[in-house]
């Protein structure tokens, strides 16, 4: 057990739409929660991960996606003497999966939400759940999104 309380963090990601519904993303995140022990120590957690996403358009401006991938999670350097209740240290590899959605405010600016779960694959055993929300900028995909939006709209108006 990691003995960590819930905390707030920050994340950033870069993605590339490969073809059709398939895209890839790289993600980095940082959080600094306290331990849920009497020590209440802060633990810095850094995660670097990669995702493969499968996306489905929903309505005129929305998308839903499933994602899966791998991440490296670091809890910082371990002290030379372990102190019970001070929280985890070291690093671990983890498989991860999740679901999410985007809603286009414009062809470039989207609201995005993600719910993810990861499970460690190393001796440091843990599972983690996270919920993220923020703004996604579709800088390279604006033209593709507009083209898809127009095609989708024309198809809906066409009675054939």
């Amino acid at each position: 057990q990691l003995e960590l309380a819930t905390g707030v963090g920050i994340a950033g990601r870069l993605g590339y739409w490969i073809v059709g519904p398939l895209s890839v993303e790289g993600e980095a995140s940082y959080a600094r929660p306290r331990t849920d022990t009497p020590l209440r120590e802060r633990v810095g957690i850094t995660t670097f991960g990669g995702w493969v996403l499968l996306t489905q358009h929903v309505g005129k401006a929305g998308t839903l996606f499933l994602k899966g991938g791998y991440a490296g999670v670091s809890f910082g350097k371990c002290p030379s003497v372990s102190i019970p209740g001070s929280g985890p240290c070291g690093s671990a590899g983890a498989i991860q999966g999740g679901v999410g959605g985007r809603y286009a405010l414009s062809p470039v600016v989207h609201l995005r939400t993600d719910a993810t779960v990861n499970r460690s694959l190393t001796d440091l055993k843990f599972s983690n759940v996270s919920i993220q929300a923020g703004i996604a900028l579709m800088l390279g995909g604006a033209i593709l999104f507009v083209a898809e939006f127009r095609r989708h709209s024309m198809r809906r108006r066409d009675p054939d």
Side-chain angles (χ1 to χ4, degrees):
Q1 183 172 342
L2 294 181
E3 299 178 325
L4 294 175
T6 300
V8 175
I10 187 167
R13 50 175 85 83
L14 290 173
Y16 180 74
W17 223 285
I18 297 172
V19 63
L22 191 63
S23 62
V24 293
E25 290 182 346
E27 178 179 275
S29 65
Y30 179 77
R32 197 160 177 224
R34 291 187 181 276
T35 59
D36 61 2
T37 65
L39 290 178
R40 305 276 303 146
E41 291 289 320
R42 288 235 179 241
V43 177
I45 304 169
T46 306
T47 304
F48 293 98
W51 297 96
V52 175
L53 283 75
L54 188 61
T55 303
Q56 174 65 47
H57 287 275
V58 177
K60 291 182 179 181
T63 58
L64 296 175
F65 54 84
L66 292 173
K67 61 185 193 170
Y70 180 83
V73 183
S74 173
F75 297 97
K77 189 176 178 180
C78 291
S80 55
V81 176
S82 179
I83 302 169
S86 63
C89 63
S91 59
I95 57 170
Q96 50 189 8
V99 297
R102 293 182 207 91
Y103 181 80
L105 301 175
S106 76
V108 176
V109 179
H110 296 221
L111 293 176
R112 177 174 170 151
T113 60
D114 295 64
T116 62
V117 175
N118 63 23
R119 175 75 179 146
S120 66
L121 300 172
T122 55
D123 289 337
L124 178 60
K125 293 294 183 199
F126 64 89
S127 294
N128 187 43
V129 175
S130 68
I131 297 174
Q132 302 172 352
I135 299 293
L137 300 176
M138 305 293 276
L139 302 176
I143 294 170
L144 293 174
F145 181 81
V146 171
E148 178 64 27
F149 178 81
R150 288 184 182 152
R151 193 180 88 215
H152 186 71
S153 295
M154 287 190 297
R155 212 181 310 153
R156 285 186 169 244
R157 280 190 239 153
D158 187 356
D160 293 335

